[in-house]
Amino acid sequence: MRFLLFALLTPHVAQQEPPLQELLGYRNNKVIPVVIEKQVLTALAHYPELKDTRIRFIFTRKLKSSVMAARPVIGSLFKKRKKRTYDILINPVFKLEHSFETIRQIPDSVLIGWIGHELGHIMDYEGRSTWGLMGFGISYWLSKKYIRKAERVADSFAVNRGMGDYLLATKSFILDHTDLPQAYKDKIAALYLSPDDIVELVAELEKEDEGKKDEILAEEEEVVREAEAELKEHPPTS
């Protein structure tokens, strides 16, 4: 069923992508590899709040258990918030069970959804103080429960920015890819919103007015605060 959704959805979202010329305004304060520039700018267009935010999209083979990861640049955390810099690290090669697949082989809609999720993390980071970000990093490292909540907050930011179709394409691509390692699929299924969750969230948002959307965003922030409070009261044991 998810594969059918992905097959139907991919051409649909591709038709909605604006031409590159309309997206160039989102390059401000960004470092973007040329090979994925249009996909990155398409995702950024859903986050006008990040238009002037300093973000570097960096290809690296050092990511072992993830395809992408959004991280604040540590040195920038001690500057004013508007001068922070964030890195979105991207592994240009997907390790499959018996082969490899490059970033060029990933459908545009899937790549846009992946990037949109990472931009959701940056939206989350932007709302945190320096100490809050440090606490986030420690909690993310120590607690799987915290990881799950943080990843779902990032997904929710993306859905709230109108990226539900792209996220659905990404999740369906991962979960239905016959050659991706099962351990990676299990990780995605356990920690992130499922395709059904995304469809449900999109449907809910379509029924709500702008005021309700703000309320949902506030609830997302509360989820993170609750997780932080829980970790302070009951720190995980190693």
Side-chain angles (χ1 to χ4, degrees):
M1 179 63 180
R2 285 195 301 261
F3 180 79
L4 177 60
L5 278 172
F6 172 64
L8 293 173
L9 184 61
T10 299
H12 172 66
V13 294
Q15 291 173 4
Q16 295 178 345
E17 295 170 17
L20 181 60
Q21 195 63 31
E22 294 181 13
L23 299 171
L24 296 182
Y26 294 94
R27 288 196 305 191
N28 189 43
N29 289 331
K30 309 296 186 294
V31 177
I32 307 171
V34 174
V35 70
I36 59 170
E37 182 178 50
K38 184 174 182 181
Q39 295 90 335
V40 168
L41 293 176
T42 300
L44 280 167
H46 290 267
Y47 290 91
E49 306 94 329
L50 300 178
K51 190 170 184 179
D52 297 320
T53 304
R54 293 171 172 81
I55 306 174
R56 305 182 303 192
F57 297 82
I58 301 172
F59 284 144
T60 176
R61 297 293 300 276
K62 293 181 180 180
L63 289 176
K64 300 301 181 184
S65 59
S66 301
V67 174
M68 296 188 193
R71 299 171 181 172
V73 175
I74 300 300
S76 74
L77 292 180
F78 300 97
K79 300 178 181 179
K80 293 181 179 179
R81 192 170 303 193
K82 66 180 181 180
K83 292 188 176 182
R84 283 179 183 171
T85 299
Y86 302 95
D87 286 342
I88 292 183
L89 307 178
I90 303 169
N91 195 330
V93 176
F94 291 80
K95 185 178 180 181
L96 306 178
E97 289 284 10
H98 306 292
S99 62
F100 294 90
E101 198 167 280
T102 69
I103 201 80
R104 292 178 185 272
Q105 296 170 276
I106 306 303
D108 284 354
S109 58
V110 172
L111 189 54
I112 291 166
W114 232 315
I115 294 165
H117 169 84
E118 298 305 326
L119 291 173
H121 278 302
I122 291 180
M123 286 292 296
D124 186 10
Y125 301 160
E126 280 282 86
R128 297 173 182 271
S129 66
T130 297
W131 292 110
L133 273 173
M134 290 181 176
F136 174 93
I138 294 170
S139 301
Y140 194 95
W141 182 53
L142 292 175
S143 169
K144 284 188 177 180
K145 184 177 181 180
Y146 192 90
I147 293 173
R148 189 170 187 266
K149 289 185 176 181
E151 295 299 342
R152 289 174 176 234
V153 165
D155 275 344
S156 296
F157 269 116
V159 171
N160 273 282
R161 295 309 184 279
M163 298 197 72
D165 285 351
Y166 290 113
L167 277 188
L168 187 57
T170 304
K171 301 302 166 63
S172 298
F173 174 82
I174 294 169
L175 297 175
D176 293 319
H177 199 305
T178 56
D179 291 328
L180 277 174
Q182 188 59 45
Y184 182 69
K185 293 183 184 182
D186 292 343
K187 171 187 171 183
I188 296 299
L191 298 179
Y192 298 75
L193 289 176
S194 70
D196 289 342
D197 291 333
I198 293 170
V199 170
E200 183 177 344
L201 185 54
V202 170
E204 288 177 4
L205 288 171
E206 287 176 347
K207 295 177 183 177
E208 305 295 344
D209 58 19
E210 289 300 319
K212 188 62 177 177
K213 289 181 182 179
D214 290 339
E215 183 180 327
I216 292 172
L217 286 173
E219 289 174 358
E220 295 167 2
E221 294 293 334
E222 184 61 26
V223 166
V224 176
R225 292 194 190 98
E226 288 176 0
E228 291 172 339
E230 182 179 326
L231 283 168
K232 287 180 181 178
E233 293 178 10
H234 306 287
T237 56
S238 56

